[in-house]
Amino acid sequence: MIGIVACSVSGTILAKHKNFDVFGCLLVSMVTAIGGGTVRDVILDRHPLFWMVDMNYLMVITVTSILFQVFFHPESRHVDWFLKLSDTIGLSAFTLIGIKVALSMGTNIPVALLLGVITIIVGGIIRDMICNEIPLVLQQEIYITAALFGGGVFFIMRALDMPSWLIDICTMLSIFTLRMLAIRYDWKFPEIDLVARRKHR
């Protein structure tokens, strides 16, 4: 539910900032919150889909989105910060969830890491495309790297037979910390542009 609320908030903030109406904001918040998990479950052939069984997911998304539409001002100076913070919380929670769900279905470590990443990025990509934005994961942001780093922490601690609750907390904290540090200090991957370098020479 932490991931669901966080992703619902990020979808609502961006849609509200783009002047979407009530139902437009609801749509964006829903695809952001459940899009990645849905694709993950389809890949794993895991049926029925989680949000079709437990209606609490859709209820939480709806209530969260409406509350933020009422109380969040789209022209706030902190729109970008709120968006990245909620997105980072969702990144931390959904990466962990995706990995654990994949492992429960008998996948190996690389596939579990991949599905952990898919769980978080698909909803964000759909959100950004609907809102006519370049998807965050396709920019130079430290985003997927943070998810993979957290996944590495998860499997290392798991191999050391650490308690499950400690593994979960450390995995989410490592993803959250790396992502927020990247935002705070503007860490980005450099571009590879060999053509421009040759021309410069």
Side-chain angles (χ1 to χ4, degrees), residues 28-48:
V28 174
S29 67
M30 284 189 180
V31 297
T32 306
I34 65 176
T38 299
V39 172
R40 175 203 65 214
D41 286 356
V42 169
I43 292 173
L44 289 170
D45 196 26
R46 185 170 177 252
H47 298 292

Side-chain angles (χ1 to χ4, degrees), residues 43-169:
I43 292 173
L44 289 170
D45 196 26
R46 185 170 177 252
H47 298 292
L49 298 175
F50 65 98
W51 53 270
M52 290 183 175
V53 176
D54 189 349
M55 293 303 294
N56 287 325
Y57 290 107
L58 298 184
M59 289 295 295
V60 168
I61 294 169
T62 301
V63 171
T64 302
S65 179
I66 290 174
L67 285 175
F68 263 79
Q69 289 182 60
V70 171
F71 294 107
F72 190 84
H73 196 283
E75 300 304 323
S76 170
R77 294 182 295 111
H78 305 294
V79 166
D80 188 58
W81 186 85
F82 271 114
L83 178 61
K84 289 186 175 180
L85 175 63
S86 58
D87 205 51
T88 301
I89 295 172
L91 173 68
S92 305
F94 275 163
T95 300
L96 173 65
I97 292 167
I99 290 172
K100 296 183 78 170
V101 168
L103 289 175
S104 72
M105 298 295 288
T107 63
N108 55 34
I109 291 177
V111 172
L113 278 172
L114 175 62
L115 290 171
V117 171
I118 285 175
T119 302
I120 183 59
I121 68 169
V122 171
I125 290 174
I126 298 173
R127 174 200 66 201
D128 292 342
M129 290 176 65
I130 293 175
C131 295
N132 197 28
E133 292 281 325
I134 298 174
L136 187 64
V137 299
L138 301 181
Q139 301 179 43
Q140 295 171 281
E141 300 275 352
I142 305 292
Y143 194 87
I144 294 178
T145 305
L148 293 175
F149 176 75
V153 170
F154 176 89
F155 285 109
I156 289 172
M157 294 185 70
R158 187 167 175 260
L160 295 174
D161 201 26
M162 298 286 190
S164 179
W165 64 268
L166 183 60
I167 295 174
D168 292 353
I169 291 173

